[in-house]
Amino acid sequence: DWGKAEIVKPAFTGVKVLNDYPLEELAKYIDWSPFFSTWEMSGTYPRIFESDKYGKEARKVFDDAQALLKKAIAGKWISANAVFGIFQANSDNEYIEVYDESGKIKTVFHQMRQQTKKQNGQANLCLADFVSPKGKEDYIGAFAVTAGLGIEKKLAEFEKDHDDYNSIMLKALADRLAEAFAERLHERVRREFWGYAKDEHLSGEELIQEKYTGIRPAPGYPACPDHTEKPLIWQLLEVEKNTGIKLTESNAMYPAASVSGWYFANPEVKYFGVGKIQKDQVEQLAKVKGLTLPEMERWLNPNLGY
């Protein structure tokens, strides 16, 4: 029973801002495999270099990327900012109540529950299931990171020179650095700030394979397909004020090279998909969020099972 999992009291609660984070440190955490798909090559790094089809071309774009990355770091073309928080929290069915130091509710996150018929007594999962209900002290984290601040100036220079190649390359590198920042910050949260995995020592390969305890899902992920939860993270962490990352009308992040989400520490928590949901759940969400049913349906369109 996951409820028996030991709950580790965080070393730190509240909000912490880590701005102008060293890009040299983040570069070590880059997962290069998705980088090649920018150039329409599929394969995993470094095996892609041995590919008969892509090997030579992959090596060339990779070497070019390394050279541009060095220049970007030395020239401070982009900067990386982050904010994260760890808070007391309890679940109430599908919702997660987040408390301040005095126990007052700061915000409520609304998660979604699977509604498909399951085989032999398997549970219909919801992310809120992995935070203890009231009566037991538990915690949740939230974060937002970017590695795209200031990128426009350099992109404008490349565009002026009709240099599409380096423009695409810099955007791809900023994306990789933002994902690397999410990876590195999560590692520091596990080992240092929350400290529920103080003795974790994982290689880069093991980090990419998510061999660690806990997950960092984002609004929009299959486990929580509702993008309207993102503004709640923005309010809770004062993301724009603290980091400069904005949310657009469609709840996309700007700069685009940004990652945000929650931290769940429960040892049993895994990524899953909510899948198709029914009208009763959509109506309930619309009601608690103060949206009309058609508005809620628009946000959850791919998940509607009716």
Side-chain angles (χ1 to χ4, degrees):
D1 174 21
W2 65 262
K4 295 197 176 73
E6 188 206 348
I7 290 166
V8 177
K9 197 177 173 69
F12 156 86
T13 52
V15 176
K16 203 182 255 322
V17 179
L18 297 168
N19 283 350
D20 220 1
Y21 204 86
L23 296 178
E24 300 85 341
E25 186 183 316
L26 300 182
K28 297 181 196 134
Y29 285 79
I30 290 179
D31 172 8
W32 285 103
S33 298
F35 168 79
F36 296 100
S37 64
T38 305
W39 311 97
E40 291 173 10
M41 294 181 247
S42 61
T44 46
Y45 169 82
R47 282 201 300 278
I48 192 167
F49 299 141
E50 292 149 35
S51 151
D52 296 337
K53 192 173 175 187
Y54 302 123
K56 215 169 140 187
E57 199 190 337
R59 171 57 72 184
K60 184 194 176 303
V61 298
F62 181 74
D63 290 345
D64 289 348
Q66 300 306 310
L68 196 69
L69 182 57
K70 274 203 179 74
K71 279 188 194 163
I73 292 173
K76 296 197 181 337
W77 294 355
I78 50 178
S79 55
N81 285 355
V83 61
F84 73 94
I86 303 167
F87 307 93
Q88 278 196 35
N90 286 124
S91 63
D92 179 8
N93 295 322
E94 287 81 37
Y95 303 152
I96 300 165
E97 294 182 351
V98 180
Y99 312 114
D100 66 13
E101 298 299 324
S102 70
K104 283 220 307 283
I105 295 181
K106 276 176 86 70
T107 193
V108 179
F109 291 120
H110 315 89
Q111 301 296 349
M112 290 160 66
R113 186 171 296 286
Q114 295 171 325
Q115 289 186 286
T116 46
K117 283 248 192 303
K118 294 269 193 106
Q119 297 297 308
N120 52 34
Q122 282 181 318
N124 282 53
L125 296 176
C126 173
L127 280 172
D129 298 342
F130 300 97
V131 177
S132 300
K134 290 187 184 85
K136 193 172 180 186
E137 201 167 285
D138 205 350
Y139 303 87
I140 192 170
F143 72 95
V145 303
T146 185
L149 292 158
I151 196 170
E152 296 83 5
K153 183 169 175 266
K154 206 69 209 177
L155 292 178
E157 284 174 36
F158 288 140
E159 274 150 36
K160 212 174 88 194
D161 298 338
H162 305 290
D163 185 351
D164 290 345
Y165 181 64
N166 276 314
S167 179
I168 293 167
M169 183 70 83
L170 185 60
K171 283 184 209 163
L173 285 172
D175 278 343
R176 291 295 87 219
L177 284 164
E179 293 290 349
F181 201 174
E183 191 72 89
R184 173 61 177 139
L185 183 58
H186 194 190
E187 180 183 58
R188 288 190 65 186
V189 165
R190 294 190 303 271
R191 289 170 54 177
E192 172 189 344
F193 299 121
W194 193 325
Y196 67 81
K198 282 192 183 71
D199 304 325
E200 173 193 293
H201 293 287
L202 298 175
S203 67
E205 191 54 39
E206 288 170 319
L207 288 174
I208 289 165
Q209 291 166 2
E210 296 170 358
K211 292 278 165 82
Y212 45 77
T213 301
I215 60 172
R216 54 167 190 274
Y221 267 44
C224 41
D226 181 4
H227 283 278
T228 67
E229 287 295 290
K230 230 178 275 172
L232 296 174
I233 295 176
W234 254 245
Q235 288 158 13
L236 180 66
L237 302 176
E238 296 189 87
V239 174
E240 192 175 334
K241 189 184 103 181
N242 283 323
T243 63
I245 312 168
K246 297 179 170 71
L247 278 186
T248 67
E249 296 248 300
S250 61
N251 287 324
M253 293 173 283
Y254 185 84
S258 302
V259 183
S260 61
W262 295 286
Y263 294 132
F264 288 84
N266 191 300
E268 299 301 315
V269 71
K270 293 274 183 287
Y271 290 106
F272 59 87
V274 164
K276 297 292 184 197
I277 59 166
Q278 300 311 313
K279 196 168 187 175
D280 59 338
Q281 186 163 201
V282 182
E283 285 173 338
Q284 196 185 338
L285 282 166
K287 199 170 148 194
V288 294
K289 287 167 183 271
L291 295 172
T292 65
L293 183 62
E295 283 171 326
M296 201 71 241
E297 286 174 336
R298 204 165 60 241
W299 284 109
L300 296 176
N301 191 33
N303 291 85
L304 299 181
Y306 59 92

